[in-house]
Amino acid sequence: MAGKKKSTRKYGKAAGRSVESAMRREKRGTLKSGRGGKGGTVKSRKQANAIGLSEAREKGAKVPKKKAA
């Protein structure tokens, strides 16, 4: 019988912290979209999540590659 495969984390701890920070900023109303935060204030949780993952990617955290649109 084959042993149970140990699952590996899809996202690293640093990525989780980055998303958590982005969600908190969105809640406070200080999270901005766009290059250099020059866009409007982020309203949706989905967008806040995406920004958090993007920031984590920039910092080199373990985050899966973005799917091509």
Side-chain angles (χ1 to χ4, degrees):
M1 286 272 230
K4 195 174 178 183
K5 186 183 173 239
K6 191 179 177 203
S7 65
T8 56
R9 281 182 71 125
K10 204 171 190 179
Y11 298 88
K13 282 182 185 176
R17 281 194 294 268
S18 186
V19 169
E20 194 177 353
S21 165
M23 295 302 257
R24 197 163 278 130
R25 285 181 285 152
E26 183 256 339
K27 229 174 181 178
R28 288 195 195 118
T30 58
L31 183 65
K32 307 276 187 184
S33 65
R35 202 85 175 116
K38 286 179 169 60
T41 310
V42 172
K43 301 287 185 205
S44 79
R45 289 174 63 84
K46 273 187 181 179
Q47 198 177 4
N49 198 351
I51 290 170
L53 289 175
S54 179
E55 287 171 354
R57 237 180 238 112
E58 279 177 20
K59 289 176 188 169
K62 183 185 174 189
V63 183
K65 283 183 182 163
K66 249 173 38 171
K67 284 185 181 146

